[in-house]
């Protein structure tokens, strides 16, 4: 299964999914804390989307990392700075799970970060 890490506004990924000849699982990082449930057990982690579709790290054969966005954090009475910092921390945490996968990548997060730091 192909894991696609993107955002809810990325229409190019919609085209990719329609033409992909393998099963896919899309994670919209902007809704990471709203539309997904996560379960961590020692060496296996699972993600369930709002439609009940489930993927675990053992099922993933490849990943496409394209235009992630910071997760929306819904905390009442929190300052913009706290919400932003929490969003960055959440995305960093989940990127560490994604980066732990020993699979083929299109746009590996680590390589993209290195390319941005010129």
């Amino acid at each position: 299964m192909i894991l696609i890490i993107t955002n809810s506004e990325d229409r190019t990924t919609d085209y990719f999914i329609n033409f992909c000849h393998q099963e896919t699982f899309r994670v919209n990082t902007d809704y990471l804390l709203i539309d997904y449930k996560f379960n961590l057990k020692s060496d296996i982690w699972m993600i369930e989307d709002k439609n009940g579709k489930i993927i675990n790290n053992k099922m993933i054969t490849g990943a496409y990392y394209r235009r992630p966005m910071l997760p929306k954090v819904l905390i009442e009475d929190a300052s913009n700075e706290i919400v932003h910092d929490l969003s960055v921390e959440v995305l960093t945490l989940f990127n560490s799970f994604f980066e732990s996968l020993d699979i083929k990548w299109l746009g590996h997060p680590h390589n993209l970060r290195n390319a941005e730091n010129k």
Side-chain angles (χ1 to χ4, degrees), residues 62-78:
Y64 182 24
Y65 191 83
R66 177 185 158 77
R67 299 187 183 224
M69 293 174 68
L70 289 177
K72 295 179 184 200
V73 176
L74 306 175
I75 300 177
E76 292 183 29
D77 301 325

Side-chain angles (χ1 to χ4, degrees), residues 2 16 30 41 45 49-50 58 64 66 79 93 101:
I2 305 296
F16 175 81
D30 48 335
K41 294 181 183 178
W45 51 265
D49 68 14
K50 65 182 179 183
K58 304 296 183 188
Y64 182 24
R66 177 185 158 77
S79 70
L93 172 67
L101 297 168

Side-chain angles (χ1 to χ4, degrees), residues 5-17:
I5 305 159
T6 188
N7 68 74
S8 62
E9 299 172 8
D10 185 8
R11 299 298 159 234
T12 301
T13 298
D14 295 338
Y15 294 116
F16 175 81
I17 291 170

Side-chain angles (χ1 to χ4, degrees), residues 73 75 77-87:
V73 176
I75 300 177
D77 301 325
S79 70
N80 289 342
E81 183 178 340
I82 290 173
V83 169
H84 178 267
D85 290 349
L86 185 56
S87 294

Side-chain angles (χ1 to χ4, degrees), residues 1 6 13 42 48-49 60 74-75 95 113:
M1 185 177 301
T6 188
T13 298
S42 61
E48 180 179 352
D49 68 14
I60 301 169
L74 306 175
I75 300 177
N95 276 341
R113 274 194 305 278

